[in-house]
């Protein structure tokens, strides 16, 4: 007798779901639970999830608890579950990022040609920066960073710039003591209290500097990319070896090129 976790799932209108050769049942169960929520049914109790999916109660409980732990569901005081912000923004972020990457590629390549340095495009993912584009100078010390890498936002120029444009409540939600854990460069800030004044300054001046905060021997300067609504949706930076490019040179010669590239990508996104 198969274990009851392998119960054949039901369609909403009845009947079993067909299974392909690469069907991952645990993933399918989780996705079916997420698919239950709608505008008419924004929250559901565990008993409702069991009734709709046909899953055994222990399985439904484990699935809901896992989705909550991963940030896709949140549990209300009455025990019901509802979608968390992470699942509500997941699809929109992916689509936005796809358009963003395609539109940004040309301007970023021109930035690399103009500076001879590494250029990156990133977006905020929790308290990390997700790298969407990386056009690298082989001399850069962070050769292990690539498209898809996630770095602590508090230690990167792109991350600090993006954090600076969050409202106070969202910043409080994103930043924790754990955001400052792990290895760092000699100039890294150690707490939210140290970072907040720097974020206010970044927001006012419109660019961010990272000077050996992420790692020894690495500097970068970042600017904002805005969409048609005027909101900051991404950041562009140029990263340089600290032994070859001084802070003064980075700010005087490279920063204007970064900001010009950001303005170009912003225009392509319909912003101004």
């Amino acid at each position: 007798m198969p274990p009851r976790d392998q119960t054949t799932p039901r369609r909403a209108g009845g009947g079993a779901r067909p299974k392909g050769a690469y069907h991952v049942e645990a993933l399918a169960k989780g996705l079916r639970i997420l698919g239950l929520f709608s505008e008419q049914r924004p929250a559901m109790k565990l008993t409702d999830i069991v009734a709709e999916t046909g899953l055994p109660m222990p399985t439904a409980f484990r699935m809901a608890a896992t989705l909550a732990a991963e940030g896709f569901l949140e549990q209300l005081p009455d025990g019901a579950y509802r979608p968390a912000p992470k699942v509500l923004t997941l699809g929109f972020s992916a689509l936005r990022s796809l358009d963003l990457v395609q539109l940004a590629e040309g301007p970023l390549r021109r930035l690399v040609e103009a500076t001879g340095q590494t250029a990156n495009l990133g977006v905020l993912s929790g308290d990390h920066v997700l790298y969407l584009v990386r056009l690298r100078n082989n001399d850069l010390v962070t050769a292990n960073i690539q498209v898809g890498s996630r770095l602590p936002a508090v230690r990167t120029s792109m991350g600090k710039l993006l954090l600076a444009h969050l409202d106070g409540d969202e910043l409080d939600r994103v930043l924790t003591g754990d955001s400052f854990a792990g290895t760092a460069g000699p100039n890294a800030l150690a707490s939210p209290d140290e970072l907040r004044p720097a974020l206010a300054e970044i927001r006012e001046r419109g660019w961010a500097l990272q000077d050996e905060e992420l790692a020894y021997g690495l500097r970068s300067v970042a600017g904002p990319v805005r969409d048609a609504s005027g909101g900051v949706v991404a950041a562009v930076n140029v990263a340089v070896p600290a032994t070859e490019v001084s802070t003064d040179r980075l700010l005087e010669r490279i920063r204007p090129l970064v900001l010009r590239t950001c303005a170009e990508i912003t225009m392509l996104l319909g912003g101004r």
Side-chain angles (χ1 to χ4, degrees):
M1 176 180 296
R4 61 178 183 171
D5 279 12
Q6 295 179 3
T7 302
T8 301
R10 300 182 305 188
R11 291 183 184 274
R17 294 177 180 269
K19 295 183 179 180
Y22 302 105
H23 186 87
V24 180
E25 186 59 29
L27 176 60
K29 290 172 183 174
L31 293 173
R32 286 198 296 278
I33 290 174
L34 292 178
L36 295 175
F37 299 93
S38 67
E39 185 177 354
Q40 292 73 33
R41 189 167 52 185
M44 297 183 69
K45 291 185 177 293
L46 195 60
T47 52
D48 299 323
I49 293 174
V50 169
E52 290 292 327
T53 61
L55 295 172
M57 178 65 78
T59 301
F61 173 78
R62 289 196 301 272
M63 290 291 165
T66 299
L67 290 168
E70 292 297 320
F72 293 102
L73 290 179
E74 60 183 5
Q75 192 168 21
L76 302 176
D78 66 356
Y81 290 90
R82 70 180 178 189
K86 187 173 181 179
V87 72
L88 294 174
T89 60
L90 186 62
F92 296 110
S93 297
L95 291 173
R96 184 189 69 192
S97 297
L98 179 61
D99 290 340
L100 177 62
V101 167
Q102 293 172 340
L103 293 172
E105 186 173 353
L108 288 172
R109 290 195 179 280
R110 290 189 286 275
L111 178 61
V112 170
E113 292 172 1
T115 62
Q117 303 292 343
T118 295
N120 303 289
L121 174 76
V123 296
L124 200 59
S125 175
D127 60 354
H128 285 68
V129 169
L130 173 64
Y131 279 66
L132 300 181
V133 179
R134 181 166 175 82
L135 303 178
R136 187 167 65 86
N137 178 332
N138 290 330
D139 295 333
L140 199 63
V141 296
T142 54
N144 58 323
I145 301 174
Q146 56 191 336
V147 172
S149 292
R150 297 173 75 252
L151 296 183
V154 299
R155 297 198 180 123
T156 64
S157 58
M158 291 194 297
K160 291 192 295 180
L161 187 138
L162 293 167
L163 290 173
H165 287 86
L166 297 180
D167 63 39
D169 290 342
E170 194 170 8
L171 185 62
D172 289 340
R173 180 179 61 81
V174 168
L175 280 187
T176 68
D178 290 340
S179 302
F180 297 81
T183 58
N187 299 326
L189 300 177
S191 71
D193 289 340
E194 289 186 24
L195 180 64
R196 287 179 191 279
L199 295 183
E201 184 178 352
I202 289 168
R203 186 166 55 252
E204 181 176 352
R205 71 192 182 193
W207 52 270
L209 173 70
Q210 180 277 126
D211 187 8
E212 295 191 291
E213 297 167 54
L214 178 65
Y216 284 93
L218 180 66
R219 293 189 176 109
S220 63
V221 62
V225 174
R226 300 178 183 271
D227 62 9
S229 71
V232 174
V233 295
V236 168
N237 82 356
V238 164
V240 301
T243 55
E244 298 179 12
V245 181
S246 67
T247 303
D248 288 344
R249 181 183 168 196
L250 180 65
L251 296 180
E252 291 174 7
R253 299 186 183 182
I254 296 178
R255 177 177 54 118
L257 300 176
V258 170
L259 295 178
R260 186 178 70 187
T261 299
C262 290
E264 186 177 353
I265 298 171
T266 293
M267 289 183 62
L268 293 173
L269 290 173
R272 48 184 297 182

